[in-house]
C-alpha cells in the first residue's frame, strides 16, 4: 500500500517514491477483460504547493487479461501514467481536485483505477486468431460488423418507410 503522510511533505520540493504494490484480490475485484493484477511497480513524484498536492504516477503492471478471440487468459504488461491533484478543500468549479481528509493520502485505489482504465476494450492474445464460422453462427471483425450494420439500417423502423403522410 502506498500511503503518503501529507505533514511530512516539503513545500515546493519534489518527493519521489518507488514502491511495489500487490493488490488484495478480495479488496480489488477484477472483471473481464482484467482477470488479475499481479506485481505493480510505481514511481510517484509528489509536489506540494500551499494546500495542494500534485502527484504523477508512473505505473508498470503485470496483469492477466482475457483474450477477446479465445476467451483464454494471457499475461501482459501495462504501462501508464496518471496525474492526480489533491486538496484538503475544494471551491466550486475545481472539478479536477480530489479532496483528502486527515493527514494522509492512500494511492492504491487510484493506481488500480489507472490500470483498469488503460486496458483496451478488445484484447488479442499474442498468436490468437479470429475464430472461424461455424454451424449456426458467423464470425466477423468489428470493421465489417459496423459496415454491415450501417448498410442494413435499423429493422425496427423498416415499416415506416412505406408510410405516406398527407401534407
Amino acid at each position: 500500500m502506498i500511503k503518503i503522510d501529507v505533514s511530512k511533505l516539503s513545500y515546493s520540493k519534489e518527493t519521489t517514491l518507488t514502491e511495489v504494490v500487490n493488490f488484495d484480490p478480495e479488496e480489488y475485484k477484477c472483471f473481464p477483460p482484467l482477470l488479475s493484477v499481479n506485481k505493480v511497480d510505481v514511481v510517484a513524484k509528489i509536489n506540494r504547493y500551499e494546500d495542494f498536492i500534485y502527484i504523477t504516477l508512473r505505473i508498470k503492471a503485470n496483469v492477466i487479461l482475457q483474450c477477446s478471440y479465445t476467451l483464454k487468459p494471457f499475461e501482459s504488461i501495462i504501462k501508464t501514467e496518471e496525474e492526480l491533484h489533491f486538496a484538503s478543500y475544494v471551491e466550486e468549479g475545481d472539478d479536477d481536485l480530489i479532496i483528502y481528509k486527515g493527514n494522509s493520502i492512500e494511492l492504491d485505489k487510484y493506481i488500480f483505477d489507472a490500470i483498469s482504465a488503460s486496458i483496451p476494450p478488445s484484447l488479442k492474445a499474442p498468436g490468437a486468431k479470429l475464430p472461424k464460422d461455424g454451424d449456426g453462427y458467423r464470425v466477423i471483425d468489428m470493421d465489417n460488423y459496423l459496415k454491415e450494420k450501417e448498410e442494413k439500417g435499423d429493422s425496427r423502423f423498416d415499416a415506416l418507410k412505406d408510410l405516406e403522410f398527407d401534407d
Side-chain angles (χ1 to χ4, degrees), residues 5 7 12 17 43 47 52 57 66 70 96 117 144-145 162-163:
D5 186 345
S7 64
S12 302
L17 294 174
V43 176
N47 292 291
F52 303 97
L57 299 172
Q66 185 178 46
T70 65
D96 292 341
N144 287 330
Y145 167 75
D162 299 330
L163 288 178

Side-chain angles (χ1 to χ4, degrees), residues 143-161:
D143 292 334
N144 287 330
Y145 167 75
L146 293 173
K147 183 179 174 184
E148 283 183 16
K149 187 175 178 180
E150 185 177 310
E151 289 171 358
K152 182 179 177 186
D154 190 344
S155 62
R156 296 176 293 179
F157 297 104
D158 287 347
L160 299 176
K161 290 179 184 178

Side-chain angles (χ1 to χ4, degrees), residues 3-10 17 48 53 103-105:
K3 191 173 189 177
I4 297 169
D5 186 345
V6 175
S7 64
K8 293 183 180 178
L9 294 175
S10 300
L17 294 174
R48 181 177 186 181
I53 299 167
N103 245 356
S104 63
I105 299 172

Side-chain angles (χ1 to χ4, degrees), residues 23-35:
F23 290 103
D24 178 4
E26 292 302 314
E27 187 175 349
Y28 293 93
K29 301 235 186 273
C30 296
F31 299 97
L34 179 62
L35 300 177

Side-chain angles (χ1 to χ4, degrees), residues 42-156:
V42 179
V43 176
K45 298 204 179 267
I46 308 159
N47 292 291
R48 181 177 186 181
Y49 300 102
E50 297 179 13
D51 294 329
F52 303 97
I53 299 167
Y54 302 98
I55 301 174
T56 301
L57 299 172
R58 282 198 203 103
I59 302 165
K60 180 181 175 188
N62 179 297
V63 297
I64 303 296
L65 301 171
Q66 185 178 46
C67 178
S68 297
Y69 286 3
T70 65
L71 300 180
K72 292 181 181 175
F74 69 98
E75 191 173 341
S76 184
I77 300 291
I78 292 178
K79 294 180 183 179
T80 188
E81 189 169 302
E82 185 77 20
E83 287 190 26
L84 305 169
H85 305 154
F86 293 90
S88 57
Y89 65 91
V90 176
E91 293 181 13
E92 194 171 321
D94 287 336
D95 296 334
D96 292 341
L97 292 173
I98 303 166
I99 298 174
Y100 71 91
K101 297 188 189 243
N103 245 356
S104 63
I105 299 172
E106 290 184 19
L107 295 178
D108 289 11
K109 175 193 178 309
Y110 304 104
I111 294 166
F112 187 83
D113 289 348
I115 293 166
S116 297
S118 297
I119 299 170
S122 180
L123 296 166
K124 180 181 161 191
K129 294 187 175 21
L130 192 64
K132 304 288 182 211
D133 295 345
D135 187 24
Y137 66 92
R138 185 171 64 110
V139 179
I140 59 173
D141 62 22
M142 186 58 80
D143 292 334
N144 287 330
Y145 167 75
L146 293 173
K147 183 179 174 184
E148 283 183 16
K149 187 175 178 180
E150 185 177 310
E151 289 171 358
K152 182 179 177 186
D154 190 344
S155 62
R156 296 176 293 179

